[in-house]
Structure formats: C-alpha cells, structure tokens
Amino acid sequence: GGENTYGAIDNKIRNMISQVAYMHFTMHKSYKLNLEKKVKEKSRIFNVGYLGSDNLSKIKKQKNKELIYKKFNLKKDKLILFTYHPSVDKLKKKKIQELKKILLFLLNKKYYVIATFPGMEFQNQLIRSLLFELKSIKNFKIYPNLGTDYFNLMKFSKCIVGNSSSGLIEAPFFKVPTINIGDRQNGRIKHKSVLDTKLDFSDFKKKFIRVNSKPFISNIKKMKYMFGNKDVSGKILKHIKNEK
C-alpha cells in the first residue's frame, strides 16, 4: 500500500485493497505517508520494509553461479533479463519496433538475453508476438515465468531491461542496474541504480552506455537499499500479535 504506478492498472487495484484492509505494512516511509492520506486508521499503518527481502537475503548468500549458468546454458558474464508489460497507454506498432531495435541491439552485442512474458494486461499479445519473432536467435531465450530462478539469474545479470517492478524493487537489493523503459513505474521510489529511458532506441543506447561506465557501477556498489533487509516478516508478525 501507498505505492504509486501511474502507468499501470495495478495502481487502482492497490488503492482499492488499501481501502478495505484492516492493517497495512509499507516498505518505505514515503509510502506510509501516502497511505495515511488515503485511509482512516493511521495507527494500523506500519513501515516495515519489503517482505521479499527476507528471501532475497537467502538467495544472495547462495554460491550457485556455476549451477545456474549450466541450467540456462550461459557461457559468459553477459546476461541481461528483459521483461516488458503494456502500460495504460495504447501500445502502437511504432513502439513495438523500438522494443525490437533494443532487443536486437543487445543480441548483436552478444549478450545472453532471457525474457519473461508480460502479465495479462491489455495488448500483451503484441509483446509475446515480438518475443516469439526473435526466438530463433541463439542467445535469446523466453520463458512464461522463472519462479525463484528469476532472482538467481538477476544477481548475476549485467542489468535489468524493461518496465517490471522487479527492476526497481529487487534488482537494487543485488546492486544490479536497471534500465527502466517508459512511464509504467512512474510514482515509485527509485534507487541510483535505476535509469529511466523513453521507449526510444536512441535514448536507450545513451542509458546503456552509462550502465557500463565505471563511475556508475562504482556508485551503485556504495548505495544503500531503501526498502529494508532484515527480518521483515518478523516485524509484521510482531505487529499482528500486538494488535488488540
């Protein structure tokens, strides 16, 4: 609750759920403040951090690079994860062509690009069709979803490309850069590791050059994760137990 994604239908659903929820657990103090403006029972809003960080901590500690590379047949450290969802705006043919240019650019640079399907949003078939069109390229792989393997791959990735919330929430935990395309995630808090770009190939290339720069990489390594990273589930349980 309290988060905003102005370019996605999730925003309306999230707000509706917040209106009927009895207790609220946010992952950032700014989201807590946002939520306080929308619900009456402010005393039941607790800022605890991102619940998924408990699981990310375990994944981060796993020394499984060789196992993951073998499972997905990766030969070198040039992995990029790609996920793009349609936003609330109509997805025109020109935009699909820009996405295609971006993917072909990465593939021609000999990166291994692993793409996951979009969700059930309107016009999702246009994205799926693009992914299947490129499926025959040797260093391109597509999956409906990857489960926990997604985060195991993420921690070894060069960067995350697309407009998934994972690029803004989970990728910064592993200090992996994100090139966030378009306005779907507008309204969310963003770490220094997130570079926003228009759905425009020339703009994307500029951001990709920056992702590969030593000053940018060095800056990311020093950044602090803003969504909590210690026993978030324990904090939530404690608040529930103390509820009278």
Side-chain angles (χ1 to χ4, degrees):
E3 298 177 49
N4 290 307
T5 47
Y6 296 121
I9 194 173
D10 307 37
N11 212 44
K12 293 181 180 179
I13 298 169
R14 186 183 301 114
N15 288 336
M16 285 190 291
I17 292 172
S18 291
Q19 293 301 320
V20 299
Y22 180 74
M23 297 181 75
H24 310 264
F25 302 99
T26 63
M27 67 179 184
H28 192 273
K29 58 184 178 181
S30 295
Y31 296 154
K32 182 177 185 289
L33 292 173
N34 290 343
L35 201 55
E36 287 176 348
K37 299 173 184 177
K38 298 177 181 179
V39 300
K40 293 181 180 180
E41 297 294 338
K42 297 177 178 55
S43 62
R44 297 198 190 108
I45 304 173
F46 307 96
N47 182 48
V48 294
Y50 172 51
L51 178 58
S53 64
D54 291 349
N55 189 46
L56 296 182
S57 295
K58 296 175 183 177
I59 292 173
K60 190 175 184 178
K61 293 175 183 177
Q62 294 172 357
K63 307 294 183 181
N64 57 350
K65 185 175 183 178
E66 185 178 339
L67 185 66
I68 289 295
Y69 269 47
K70 183 177 180 180
K71 183 174 182 178
F72 290 90
N73 196 27
L74 304 173
K75 306 297 182 184
K76 49 189 175 182
D77 294 329
K78 293 193 71 173
L79 170 63
I80 288 176
L81 292 180
F82 176 88
T83 304
Y84 188 87
H85 302 270
S87 65
V88 292
D89 297 325
K90 187 175 181 181
L91 194 58
K92 299 178 181 178
K93 187 176 181 180
K94 183 180 178 181
K95 296 296 185 181
I96 294 293
Q97 290 304 311
E98 292 301 300
L99 277 178
K100 185 176 181 178
K101 288 178 185 177
I102 289 170
L103 284 169
L104 287 175
F105 169 77
L106 297 172
L107 293 168
N108 288 333
K109 289 280 186 180
K110 304 303 179 184
Y111 282 94
Y112 290 90
V113 178
I114 294 181
T116 51
F117 282 179
M120 298 305 294
E121 300 96 337
F122 174 63
Q123 292 190 305
N124 70 342
Q125 190 56 44
L126 294 176
I127 307 298
R128 291 190 183 206
S129 295
L130 172 61
L131 300 181
F132 281 111
E133 182 183 340
L134 304 177
K135 189 178 180 181
S136 61
I137 299 176
K138 188 177 180 181
N139 50 323
F140 184 65
K141 298 179 181 180
I142 60 175
Y143 296 88
N145 65 75
L146 288 162
T148 55
D149 276 339
Y150 181 76
F151 298 121
N152 279 308
L153 287 165
M154 177 182 282
K155 69 180 181 180
F156 301 124
S157 296
K158 179 71 178 178
C159 71
I160 308 302
V161 175
N163 63 1
S164 168
S165 61
S166 64
L168 281 71
I169 299 174
E170 286 92 359
F173 183 91
F174 296 115
K175 301 188 185 301
V176 172
T178 296
I179 301 181
N180 178 55
I181 302 174
D183 60 4
R184 187 174 188 268
Q185 298 299 335
N186 284 0
R188 283 193 192 274
I189 291 168
K190 295 170 184 174
H191 289 75
K192 294 177 181 178
S193 58
V194 179
L195 297 179
D196 290 327
T197 179
K198 301 173 184 176
L199 183 41
D200 174 82
F201 177 56
S202 59
D203 192 28
F204 173 83
K205 280 202 298 183
K206 293 175 185 176
K207 301 299 163 56
F208 191 73
I209 291 171
R210 190 176 167 193
V211 158
N212 285 279
S213 68
K214 289 183 179 179
F216 181 77
I217 294 171
S218 177
N219 200 25
I220 289 177
K221 289 180 179 179
K222 299 173 187 175
M223 76 177 187
K224 182 180 178 181
Y225 187 63
M226 296 189 288
F227 301 142
N229 59 4
K230 189 176 181 181
D231 193 26
V232 176
S233 58
K235 293 174 185 176
I236 292 174
L237 183 59
K238 184 177 179 180
H239 285 299
I240 292 173
K241 285 183 174 181
N242 290 338
E243 177 61 21
K244 297 178 182 179

